[in-house]
Amino acid sequence: LISCRPSSNLIHPPPLTLILSRELTYINNNNMPRQGRKRKKTRTHVVETDERITSALRSNDELKVPRSLVIRRGKTESELVELVSDIRTLMRPYTAANFKEDATNRKMTLARYAEAMTTSLGVTHILAVSQNSGRVNLRVGRTPAGPTLSFRVKRFTLGRQIRSAQRRSYDSQRAFESPPVVVTNNFGDAGAAPHVKLMRITFQNMFPAINVSTVKLGDCRRVVLFNFIRRDVGESKKENNGSGDERQRHPDYEEDEEVEVRHYAIRTKPVGVDRKVRRLVESKIPDLSRVSDIADYIANPDGAGGATGEMSDSEAEDETSHVDLPSGGRRGRKKGNDNSASSQKSALKLVELGPRLRLKLYKVERGMSAGDVMYHAYVQKSAREVKELKARKADEESTKRRRREEQEANVERKRVAKEEKKEAREQRRKEREERAMAELRGEATGGGGGEDESEGSDDNEDGRGLGGNEDDEYTSDGEEEDGDESSDEEESDN
């Protein structure tokens, strides 16, 4: 039964027929099966793509992106720890920025380190910073097979030191979300030396390539510059500075070939805009405490904020740095727009982020920090010496391989002997256990009668002992009786 109580919100209670119809409708809607099939969406603006094809294309593109790993080798000073951190910042975002080195892995060779660590992580380049008593070295290797470029770090400046010398440092973290633009300067053309070509190709392949047709202007926020410096150092100057080893130890010696590395952030400023107006456009609130109107702030040259002019003091006066950017191009909001009305003229300004590096290439190895020496800056060998060295290396490799095979054979022989000895010891143990069980079984089967006989013999011995005692008592009693009769006869005679 359904009770119909008057509601406080209604003047008249609903009729009973209306309540019954609502209840029946609720029961039918919840208990009756659905009629017809489920409605299919027919929207055509959503393009259906195969997820497997999309993921495969995405993974293929990701495999082409070079990934780097910056590590330390051996014991280093605290300044080199900061330098490693700055180099990781320079290589972002496709690098292990928070990688923690294990002390046990620092003793491994670079080839084994690359094989053990970088293969599973998909790393294509490894940068190893090491230090000895007088030099700082940087090795750049292409995993897993090489080549390896060994640089001498002539001098370096940390990013912290560069920012401390700047008036307004660049502190945007958004710039490190996209890879930098790589600029290689003065490395020559196709006629350059082979080691110079290898340096240029290595520096370019450490960073992902940029497609000019699809790149967004908002993603181009950093620049990494590799500047190749050539000097005409005469033979007389080289002789005055000493031999090759002495020149390596001398930190201020000017090499004939060096590479300078710089790291910049790109800033764009509108050209031809007053500095005060630009502050308002950039949502920077000026100091208006000494003016009564915003027009006084902009028009009055003696107003707050100092003197005004047609060009800001922070803009670059060189017209070659002026470019036409699309509207919103600085932030990447709009893609390629050819409409000149929506473009604006801006000036590009570079703000150094650090670190600064001055590098000298002194050796190129064919493998991963191993193999043939393809180039050496201080040691020159003739063709005969190179041939003899290769023959000696081949002999050493064959001897090493033969010794390794002998060691493996000896290890296998010792392992087999150990297994045979273990099996023989196990067999002897089983035989002892079987003999012990056989002896226990023989004693259990043939040892029962022997026990009965022994018990009977014990009983006989006990019986014999008891019988002997009775005879002795009987004999002693008889003798006592005879003694009594003889005493009675003597008394009667008397």
Side-chain angles (χ1 to χ4, degrees):
L1 295 178
I2 300 174
S3 61
C4 298
R5 294 193 229 174
S7 177
S8 59
N9 297 328
L10 299 176
I11 300 175
H12 300 287
L16 181 60
T17 55
L18 179 59
I19 296 175
L20 291 175
S21 63
R22 289 177 181 175
E23 294 294 333
L24 292 175
T25 304
Y26 174 78
I27 294 171
N28 291 333
N29 291 337
N30 285 275
N31 296 335
M32 296 298 293
R34 181 188 294 273
Q35 295 182 0
R37 56 185 178 180
K38 188 177 180 180
R39 182 177 68 88
K40 183 179 179 181
K41 297 181 181 180
T42 57
R43 293 181 296 175
T44 58
H45 65 278
V46 178
V47 179
E48 295 183 359
T49 57
D50 193 352
E51 294 183 359
R52 293 176 296 177
I53 297 175
T54 305
S55 61
L57 293 175
R58 189 184 300 111
S59 62
N60 190 17
D61 294 338
E62 291 178 355
L63 288 175
K64 295 180 181 179
V65 175
R67 303 178 186 277
S68 60
L69 181 65
V70 185
I71 60 174
R72 291 180 292 126
R73 304 288 293 166
K75 294 182 179 180
T76 56
E77 300 291 339
S78 59
E79 288 80 5
L80 286 187
V81 177
E82 293 187 37
L83 178 62
V84 169
S85 178
D86 291 343
I87 295 175
R88 290 176 180 175
T89 304
L90 183 145
M91 302 296 294
R92 287 177 61 183
Y94 298 108
T95 187
N98 299 322
F99 183 77
K100 302 294 183 182
E101 297 97 344
D102 192 357
T104 57
N105 294 333
R106 294 182 189 175
K107 300 179 182 179
M108 299 169 57
T109 60
L110 195 61
R112 293 191 61 186
Y113 193 95
E115 182 181 358
M117 300 296 297
T118 63
T119 306
S120 59
L121 300 177
V123 176
T124 59
H125 293 81
I126 182 169
L127 289 78
V129 179
S130 60
Q131 179 187 11
N132 55 17
S133 59
R135 294 188 295 267
V136 177
N137 298 326
L138 172 64
R139 286 182 291 176
V140 181
R142 179 71 166 86
T143 59
T148 304
L149 283 71
S150 299
F151 295 93
R152 186 93 64 228
V153 181
K154 306 294 291 185
R155 60 180 64 92
F156 65 90
T157 306
L158 300 176
R160 168 178 56 83
Q161 300 169 346
I162 293 175
R163 287 190 297 270
S164 63
Q166 292 175 347
R167 193 169 113 187
R168 285 178 294 182
S169 60
Y170 188 85
D171 56 353
S172 175
Q173 294 296 326
R174 219 178 140 191
F176 301 100
E177 297 177 358
S178 57
V181 179
V182 181
V183 178
T184 54
N185 183 40
N186 202 24
F187 279 86
D189 51 3
H195 66 280
V196 178
K197 290 182 184 178
L198 183 60
M199 277 195 294
R200 177 177 57 83
I201 294 172
T202 303
F203 292 147
Q204 290 177 348
N205 292 337
M206 285 166 55
F207 301 90
I210 294 177
N211 191 352
V212 181
S213 59
T214 59
V215 67
K216 296 181 181 179
L217 294 178
D219 294 339
C220 300
R221 296 177 178 269
R222 290 186 297 142
V223 175
V224 176
L225 173 64
F226 295 94
N227 184 29
F228 187 68
I229 302 173
R230 286 188 178 91
R231 297 188 183 93
D232 294 332
V233 181
E235 295 294 333
S236 60
K237 189 173 181 180
K238 290 183 180 179
E239 292 176 359
N240 294 333
N241 284 292
S243 62
D245 295 338
E246 293 178 358
R247 292 199 303 270
Q248 293 182 52
R249 297 190 188 98
H250 200 281
D252 297 331
Y253 173 73
E254 291 186 355
E255 301 283 354
D256 53 349
E257 294 178 350
E258 290 182 351
V259 178
E260 188 178 13
V261 183
R262 295 290 186 93
H263 185 207
Y264 299 97
I266 301 175
R267 275 181 175 174
T268 58
K269 300 293 181 182
V271 177
V273 180
D274 187 81
R275 181 178 56 177
K276 298 180 179 181
V277 176
R278 196 186 66 212
R279 284 182 181 178
L280 295 176
V281 172
E282 293 178 353
S283 301
K284 294 181 179 179
I285 302 175
D287 185 11
L288 303 177
S289 61
R290 290 181 290 178
V291 296
S292 59
D293 193 358
I294 189 65
D296 298 338
Y297 170 76
I298 296 175
N300 187 8
D302 298 330
T308 182
E310 294 182 356
M311 183 178 291
S312 172
D313 56 354
S314 63
E315 290 183 6
E317 297 182 0
D318 188 6
E319 293 184 358
T320 58
S321 63
H322 296 176
V323 294
D324 292 331
L325 296 179
S327 179
R330 290 190 298 124
R331 300 185 181 181
R333 293 181 181 175
K334 292 185 180 180
K335 297 182 180 178
N337 188 3
D338 298 334
N339 189 6
S340 60
S342 61
S343 62
Q344 62 180 2
K345 198 167 188 179
S346 301
L348 299 180
K349 184 180 179 181
L350 299 180
V351 181
E352 190 170 4
L353 299 176
R356 294 182 188 176
L357 293 171
R358 183 69 64 89
L359 307 176
K360 166 62 180 175
L361 178 69
Y362 69 92
K363 186 169 65 172
V364 177
E365 296 172 287
R366 189 179 300 276
M368 192 67 188
S369 188
D372 300 338
V373 178
M374 303 168 61
Y375 167 79
H376 204 289
Y378 306 111
V379 179
Q380 304 295 332
K381 294 182 179 295
S382 62
R384 182 180 176 182
E385 292 176 347
V386 171
K387 187 176 180 180
E388 292 177 355
L389 182 61
K390 288 185 178 179
R392 189 179 66 188
K393 288 290 184 183
D395 189 13
E396 290 178 357
E397 288 293 332
S398 62
T399 305
K400 187 177 180 180
R401 191 182 307 108
R402 179 175 54 81
R403 289 179 178 177
R404 186 181 297 110
E405 291 175 356
E406 291 178 358
Q407 289 178 357
E408 291 177 355
N410 293 334
V411 170
E412 183 66 19
R413 178 176 54 80
K414 291 179 181 179
R415 188 188 64 80
V416 172
K418 186 177 180 181
E419 291 292 335
E420 292 177 354
K421 186 176 180 181
K422 184 178 180 180
E423 291 178 359
R425 185 167 61 250
E426 188 70 19
Q427 185 68 23
R428 290 196 300 270
R429 185 182 64 81
K430 289 182 179 179
E431 291 177 357
R432 287 197 303 269
E433 290 180 355
E434 290 177 358
R435 286 199 302 269
M437 293 298 294
E439 291 177 359
L440 291 176
R441 291 194 193 97
E443 292 178 358
T445 55
E451 292 178 357
D452 296 338
E453 293 174 358
S454 61
E455 291 176 358
S457 62
D458 295 339
D459 295 339
N460 294 333
E461 291 176 358
D462 295 339
R464 285 196 299 270
L466 294 173
N469 294 334
E470 290 176 356
D471 294 338
D472 294 338
E473 292 177 358
Y474 178 77
T475 306
S476 60
D477 295 339
E479 291 178 352
E480 290 178 355
E481 290 177 357
D482 295 337
D484 295 338
E485 292 177 356
S486 61
S487 61
D488 292 338
E489 289 177 356
E490 289 177 358
E491 289 179 355
S492 61
D493 292 338
N494 293 329

